[in-house]
Amino acid sequence: MLFIAGSTTQLNHHKIPKIPLHLHKKYTPKLFLLWFPFLRFVTMPPTLSFTLTHYLTLLVAMLLVVVEANFPATGIASELPTFREAPAFRNGRECRNRAHGESVFHIAMTLDATYLRGSIAGVFSVLQHTSCPENVVFHFIATTHRRAELRRIITTTFPYLAFHLYHFDANLVQGKISYSIRRALDQPLNYARMYLADLLPANVRRIIYFDSDLIVVDDVAKLWRIDLHSRVLGAPEYCHANFTNYFTHRFWSNPSYAASFKGREACYFNTGVMVIDLWKWREGRYTEKLETWMRIQKRNRIYELGSLPPFLLVFAGDVERVEHRWNQHGLGGDNLEGLCRDLHPGPVSLLHWSGKGKPWLRIDSKKPCPLDSLWAPYDLFRHSPSLFSDS
């Protein structure tokens, strides 16, 4: 069923990371090239051929280089957002005690500063719609050194939530990630879903993996209980999609690569919603299989879309089909423009803003898409009072 509801911080210089040597080499020449024209403007009046506009443009460019060189690369980040405390959700009478392992639902999600607002909304939506919220255990994965802050945010926002927080070592994918069509797809944390079997305890047999840009509007227990039969992974499949578009001409023109799909009815599936049997994953050493394709990609450039194509190469054609209602994906538009989109025909249990456009960013920019209003009721973000507000 679809639910629709209408300070000053002191910097500690000892904690400021130093800029790595390779960044100095990369950006210092740029800064010098921009700095000398700016000095010329300061010491000499602008000429007809080199106007004030040119100098201001150079100054802005120089500032952008400085920001790019320092902030993303060194991990200096703005203060993490704050959130309102979610209401407490309690089990119904039909729910078994969480002490019975079979009654517990395990969900994995990633946490980072960029998508934290989306992750919080996703957790809130799961708790609000499941019949046994106290039986849900979340497994959060983070790469950042700010894990203590992330833990505090989860604890204060969801005081009754059962969760674990794991560190994902970005070195695991060091040298394996190649650039894709969107920068967000290149972040190490985007590849953490490949390592769930290594990160989570051995006694967790099954996991639901959720991206951080979705909300659930149905009881997640229904998704948890799907029968995977003999398969490792279950997800909604979309066989009408043009499968060839997910790989480059270099892939299809190589007989050995193209033969990897031989004998399989390979269909596209979105890796933002997956049900995974972790025991079978470990037995089949599927992380190693995914890494093999990542190394091939690094050498030969056989795809353009981040962590998705390795999953297609390993699992497409051997996925347990889940109803499409469990991933109404693409609401964030494509990976380039992020334009508004409509729902796919049929019932809805999960809304997924995959693509470039994220609902919280569009709402904050006062340019929301119509379907972003379905995400807004789950947004627990605590907005700072405006400098010009009347209150």
Side-chain angles (χ1 to χ4, degrees):
M1 180 178 69
L2 181 62
F3 173 83
I4 303 176
S7 76
T8 302
T9 303
Q10 293 183 347
L11 279 176
N12 185 340
H13 69 279
H14 296 293
K15 296 183 178 180
I16 298 177
K18 295 181 180 179
I19 301 176
L21 181 61
H22 73 279
L23 287 177
H24 279 297
K25 294 179 179 178
K26 179 178 179 181
Y27 292 105
T28 301
K30 296 181 182 180
L31 291 174
F32 273 109
L33 287 174
L34 295 169
W35 182 247
F36 284 118
F38 178 68
L39 286 178
R40 180 186 171 192
F41 168 72
V42 174
T43 57
M44 298 173 60
T47 64
L48 291 176
S49 60
F50 209 84
T51 64
L52 175 61
T53 302
H54 291 92
Y55 286 114
L56 292 177
T57 302
L58 282 170
L59 178 59
V60 171
M62 185 170 65
L63 290 174
L64 289 175
V65 169
V66 172
V67 171
E68 182 185 356
N70 285 273
F71 286 78
T74 61
I76 299 174
S78 60
E79 190 172 325
L80 290 177
T82 58
F83 300 89
R84 305 188 306 277
E85 181 179 323
F89 296 97
R90 299 302 187 185
N91 282 354
R93 292 183 177 180
E94 72 279 9
C95 300
R96 298 181 65 184
N97 190 284
R98 199 168 65 200
H100 297 85
E102 295 180 358
S103 64
V104 176
F105 316 138
H106 296 276
I107 298 175
M109 297 180 74
T110 58
L111 291 180
D112 70 346
T114 304
Y115 285 86
L116 183 58
R117 191 167 164 187
S119 299
I120 295 292
V123 173
F124 187 31
S125 70
V126 169
L127 298 176
Q128 184 161 326
H129 292 284
T130 188
S131 55
C132 302
E134 293 180 274
N135 290 5
V136 179
V137 177
F138 279 89
H139 301 264
F140 297 117
I141 303 162
T143 59
T144 176
H145 62 283
R146 306 174 76 175
R147 288 192 306 280
E149 293 178 75
L150 292 172
R151 181 182 296 278
R152 175 187 55 77
I153 288 173
I154 295 296
T155 301
T156 55
T157 307
F158 304 104
Y160 307 98
L161 186 69
F163 76 93
H164 304 279
L165 181 60
Y166 307 89
H167 172 244
F168 177 65
D169 184 1
N171 290 322
L172 288 172
V173 290
Q174 185 79 28
K176 300 187 187 80
I177 298 177
S178 55
Y179 68 89
S180 60
I181 61 174
R182 187 157 62 90
R183 185 178 180 184
L185 302 177
D186 303 337
Q187 303 306 309
L189 200 58
N190 191 43
Y191 292 81
R193 68 195 80 191
M194 296 181 176
Y195 297 88
L196 295 176
D198 300 324
L199 291 168
L200 273 58
N203 63 343
V204 178
R205 172 161 192 164
R206 173 179 287 212
I207 195 75
I208 296 175
Y209 175 81
F210 281 155
D211 268 350
S212 297
D213 52 2
L214 58 77
I215 56 170
V216 179
V217 291
D218 202 346
D219 192 343
V220 75
K222 300 175 185 178
L223 179 61
W224 175 261
R225 295 191 181 110
I226 68 163
D227 190 348
L228 290 178
H229 297 99
S230 62
R231 294 190 166 95
V232 177
L233 186 151
E237 288 187 304
Y238 304 89
C239 295
H240 63 277
N242 188 346
F243 197 78
T244 60
N245 289 341
Y246 293 98
F247 302 93
T248 64
H249 174 73
R250 181 174 293 178
F251 173 87
W252 294 113
S253 61
N254 185 310
S256 62
Y257 294 162
S260 61
F261 290 115
K262 188 176 181 179
R264 290 195 274 166
E265 295 182 14
C267 295
Y268 162 78
F269 67 95
N270 180 279
T271 57
V273 178
M274 297 184 289
V275 183
I276 302 172
D277 186 320
L278 295 177
W279 287 8
K280 290 179 181 176
W281 182 293
R282 295 184 185 106
E283 290 173 2
R285 305 173 73 91
Y286 283 97
T287 297
E288 294 180 16
K289 295 177 181 179
L290 293 166
E291 287 181 329
T292 297
W293 283 111
M294 290 172 67
R295 293 188 182 97
I296 293 174
Q297 156 73 355
K298 194 71 176 176
R299 295 194 305 267
N300 296 325
R301 193 67 184 173
I302 58 174
Y303 55 79
E304 306 283 351
L305 265 176
S307 63
L308 168 64
F311 273 91
L312 298 180
L313 286 161
V314 173
F315 292 105
D318 195 23
V319 173
E320 185 63 34
R321 293 185 177 180
V322 176
E323 289 183 272
H324 287 173
R325 67 189 301 154
W326 283 105
N327 196 351
Q328 282 269 353
H329 68 289
L331 303 185
D334 61 19
N335 283 301
L336 298 176
E337 297 184 72
L339 301 177
C340 298
R341 286 187 178 175
D342 295 326
L343 289 173
H344 306 293
V348 179
S349 293
L350 183 148
L351 298 158
H352 186 188
W353 278 261
S354 58
K356 184 178 181 180
K358 303 306 174 188
W360 57 92
L361 297 178
R362 296 196 292 214
I363 289 172
D364 286 353
S365 67
K366 310 298 182 184
K367 298 178 181 178
C369 292
L371 291 178
D372 295 345
S373 63
L374 302 180
W375 180 89
Y378 303 96
D379 184 16
L380 294 175
F381 178 64
R382 190 189 299 277
H383 291 272
S384 300
S386 171
L387 181 65
F388 303 102
S389 63
D390 295 331
S391 57

